[in-house]
Amino acid sequence: MTGFLSPPPRVVRLTLRSALVLGLAALLGLAMFCWPLLAHPRPGGAAHAMDAPFVFMATLPVLILVVLAELSRGGIDAKALALLGVLSAVNAGLRPLGAGTGGIELVFFLLVLAGRVFGPGFGFVLGSTSLFTSALLTAGVGPWLPFQMLASSLIGLGAGLLPRKPRGKAEIALLVAYGVFAAYFFGLLMSLWSWPFLAGDSTQLGFVPGAPLPDNLHRFAVYTVLTSTLGWDTGRAVTNAVAIVLLGPAVLAVLRRAARRAAFDAPVTFDQSQL
C-alpha cells in the first residue's frame, strides 16, 4: 500500500539551471501574450505600434526551442521520449474528436493528468508537442500555433506544480478545479493574443495603442467575455471537468503504473562481463 501511495518518479528531472530557464520562459511567454496591455508607443510611433505581435511570432518558437533543448540535456532519456511520443500521439488523436465544437476539446484533460503524474518539466514539453502534432493533423498551422503551444505548455507546467499530497477524491476535486481554471486561462491568453487583430482599433472593444492601461483592460475584458469566456471557454471547462471526473481515476492509475514500470529514477548500470 505504501508503494501505491508513494508519488511516482519525475520523468523529466529538473536541475536548478533548467528550472530557472523554465521559469524565465514562462515569464517571457506571458509578457508576449500581454504586450497589448503593456504597449505604450511614443508620439510619432503609431505606425509601428502593431509591430510587436509579428516580432513575438518570430521569437516565440525560438523561446520554446531553447526550453526544449535545456530540458533535453540529461533530463529526457529514451524512455521519457517514448512516453512523450505516445502521449503526444494520443492527444493529437483526441483533439479532432470534438473539432473545437462549442469548446469541446479533449486534449487538455490528458495534458493536466500527465503533468500531474510526471511533473512540470514533462508537462511543459507535452503541452508543446501535443498542440504541434495536432496542428499538423488538423491543418491548424498558422501564426497562432506558437502561442497555442506556449499556452498549453504553461497549463502542463502548472499541473506539475500542483500539491502532490492529495489522493483519491480530494485529488480528483483538485484536478477538476485546475482543469476548469486551465480552460479559462487558455481562452484568456488566446483572446489576448488575437484581440488587436480581430477587434481592430475602430470599435469600442478594440485595442488602442498608447491608451491608458485601465481603458484597454476594460475593452479587452468585455471583448473576451463576449467572444470567448461565455461560449468556447465554458464549453472547454465543462469538458475538462466531466472528462476528469469520469476518466481521471483510471487514467491516473495507468500513467502512474507506466511511470513505475519504466523506473525513470533507476540508475543505469552495465554488466562488465558482457562487454
Side-chain angles (χ1 to χ4, degrees):
M1 183 64 68
T2 303
F4 177 77
L5 294 176
S6 61
R10 295 306 200 190
V11 175
V12 178
R13 294 171 293 279
L14 294 180
T15 64
L16 177 60
R17 175 177 169 177
S18 60
L20 291 175
V21 171
L22 197 59
L24 182 60
L27 291 177
L28 291 177
L30 289 175
M32 291 180 180
F33 279 108
C34 297
W35 76 266
L37 300 179
L38 304 176
H40 295 286
R42 298 177 180 177
H48 298 282
M50 296 299 291
D51 288 354
F54 298 101
V55 174
F56 293 152
M57 288 177 200
T59 58
L60 188 54
V62 177
L63 177 65
I64 295 175
L65 289 176
V66 168
V67 175
L68 297 181
E70 178 61 35
L71 292 179
S72 66
R73 296 182 60 180
I76 301 180
D77 57 14
K79 293 178 290 186
L81 283 175
L83 182 60
L84 178 65
V86 170
L87 292 179
S88 297
V90 172
N91 250 348
L94 288 175
R95 194 177 188 192
L97 294 180
T101 304
I104 301 175
E105 291 180 298
L106 295 174
V107 65
F108 294 103
F109 103 93
L110 182 58
L111 174 61
V112 169
L113 298 181
R116 166 67 173 171
V117 172
F118 298 124
F122 188 86
F124 185 95
V125 178
L126 181 61
S128 291
T129 56
S130 294
L131 268 292
F132 180 76
T133 306
S134 64
L136 295 180
L137 293 179
T138 59
V141 178
W144 54 83
L145 179 58
F147 292 88
Q148 289 180 333
M149 291 171 61
L150 181 58
S152 298
S153 293
L154 293 176
I155 291 174
L157 173 66
L161 294 175
L162 292 174
R164 303 190 71 186
K165 288 185 178 181
R167 285 292 187 269
K169 294 182 179 180
E171 181 180 32
I172 296 300
L174 175 65
L175 293 176
V176 167
Y178 182 78
V180 172
F181 164 79
Y184 288 109
F185 179 72
F186 182 85
L188 180 70
L189 289 184
M190 295 311 299
S191 293
L192 188 55
W193 171 80
S194 61
W195 171 46
F197 300 98
L198 299 182
D201 58 0
S202 60
T203 67
Q204 295 181 348
L205 303 181
F207 165 60
V208 179
L213 177 61
D215 292 348
N216 270 332
L217 191 60
H218 173 73
R219 293 188 184 95
F220 171 70
V222 177
Y223 169 81
T224 190
V225 168
L226 294 178
T227 62
S228 182
T229 303
L230 295 179
W232 295 83
D233 297 348
T234 298
R236 189 182 296 116
V238 172
T239 301
N240 286 348
V242 172
I244 291 174
V245 169
L246 296 181
L247 304 176
V251 174
L252 286 173
V254 171
L255 294 179
R256 284 172 173 148
R257 180 178 300 177
R260 292 189 177 89
R261 290 199 172 187
F264 290 103
D265 286 344
V268 177
T269 58
F270 296 93
D271 187 354
Q272 296 293 335
S273 62
Q274 299 297 324
L275 298 179

